[in-house]
Amino acid sequence: MTERQQRQAGGSVLVAAVLMACACATGCSGSAALDDSRAADPVGTLRRAADTLVDAGSSKARTSMEMATGGTRVTIRGEGVYDYRGRLGRLKVMLPQDPAGTSEHRPITELLAPGALFMKNRGAGVPADKWVRVDTTALSDGNLVTGGATDPFAAAEVLRGTRSARYVGATELAGTEVRHYRGTADLADAAKGAAGANQGVLAAAAKGFATAAVPFDVYLDDQGRIRKIRHRFSFVNGQRHGTVAVASTTLLFDFGAAADVRLPAARDIYAGKIAEG
């Protein structure tokens, strides 16, 4: 098995597991006293949102990914931290329960790095103490979906491709006053303005998704930092020859939180064959 095949297989396993579970399974309101001067240029404001996160340094994150196919829906949740300057993150990702609810999947630890995804407790024949490394630039979705959680910085960089947007209004989110924007981004445009490895990641997604147009809702605080972003992706499920609708939501909070993320040593990365099912 070549290294590239191993990376692609590592990424495909999680999507396959989620789609299998899916096949078997059956806004805030309020008034916020904010200065709305940024509402005059929503497209420009959103295209700069990723840079604002870099200025913030780090944060905690919660993720939720809903997949719908064949009339069924599953949700994958994650929680962790992200270093926007180092482009490194750590998430604990929980797969949904089996349909009968009798068995639980072990949490998967994911490390997010430029151009790479590392997964531990992955199963599929991988020893419990080993990591699987996936080249995210080789994935047809750029790891916006494969890992079960969208990389928080990649989620922000999608906004660099904002084509159209409008200011919906001021509201409150978890006790924080925010501005709500709604619009559509183009993944190919986002790739052109993305930082480093995210150029390849978003370019791959632009080619691999059913459409490069990504509708979104995003909530910014009074410093322009993303507090919540929800994307709606659509990709073709090669296994069942159908289109899968994905809603990916990322919540960012506790800016400046410690985010010491260390990538695994080469000896701790699994080099064997990964089961496909």
Side-chain angles (χ1 to χ4, degrees):
M1 190 177 193
T2 67
E3 182 180 3
R4 182 179 180 84
Q5 289 173 327
Q6 177 188 334
R7 292 170 179 173
Q8 291 176 327
S12 66
V13 170
L14 184 48
V15 167
V18 171
L19 292 175
M20 184 177 296
C22 194
C24 296
T26 53
C28 302
S29 62
S31 60
L34 294 173
D35 174 12
D36 291 333
S37 59
R38 296 175 188 168
D41 181 22
V43 171
T45 296
L46 298 180
R47 286 180 175 175
R48 294 188 294 270
D51 295 327
T52 304
L53 289 183
V54 175
D55 292 340
S58 64
S59 77
K60 294 182 180 179
R62 290 194 186 99
T63 65
S64 174
M65 183 169 289
E66 302 171 5
M67 289 188 177
T69 181
T72 57
R73 183 181 301 273
V74 296
T75 301
I76 308 168
R77 302 188 186 279
E79 185 167 358
V81 295
Y82 202 94
D83 173 3
Y84 303 103
R85 293 173 184 166
R87 310 292 198 268
L88 297 171
R90 181 178 62 252
L91 295 174
K92 182 174 72 173
V93 176
M94 295 293 298
L95 292 175
Q97 285 189 340
D98 291 336
T102 55
S103 65
E104 294 184 358
H105 299 278
R106 294 181 62 189
I108 298 174
T109 300
E110 296 188 355
L111 301 181
L112 309 168
L117 166 68
F118 298 85
M119 295 183 287
K120 194 173 187 180
N121 294 336
R122 180 56 206 94
V126 179
D129 62 341
K130 294 292 184 180
W131 295 85
V132 173
R133 183 188 187 279
V134 180
D135 179 358
T136 53
T137 62
L139 297 172
S140 61
D141 69 289
N143 195 38
L144 295 177
V145 173
T146 289
T150 302
D151 179 308
F153 191 63
E157 293 224 281
V158 169
L159 296 179
R160 295 191 191 277
T162 299
R163 285 282 187 89
S164 62
R166 66 182 178 89
Y167 175 61
V168 177
T171 185
E172 186 174 295
L173 182 66
T176 299
E177 295 178 330
V178 292
R179 297 177 181 84
H180 178 193
Y181 298 85
R182 179 172 293 150
T184 301
D186 183 272
L187 289 170
D189 287 349
K192 296 174 184 176
N198 275 350
Q199 292 183 356
V201 165
L202 295 176
K207 296 177 182 177
F209 279 147
T211 172
V214 178
F216 64 81
D217 283 84
V218 62
Y219 301 79
L220 307 183
D221 64 17
D222 59 0
Q223 297 182 50
R225 301 174 302 192
I226 296 172
R227 290 304 186 111
K228 177 180 178 179
I229 184 167
R230 181 177 177 86
H231 300 100
R232 289 173 291 284
F233 302 122
S234 179
F235 72 94
V236 177
N237 175 12
Q239 292 183 330
R240 298 180 182 273
H241 307 289
T243 300
V244 181
V246 179
S248 176
T249 303
T250 303
L251 298 172
L252 304 178
F253 57 102
D254 283 0
F255 287 93
D260 182 16
V261 180
R262 300 184 182 184
L263 301 182
R267 64 179 178 275
D268 296 324
I269 298 175
Y270 183 62
K273 183 177 177 61
I274 299 171
E276 291 287 345

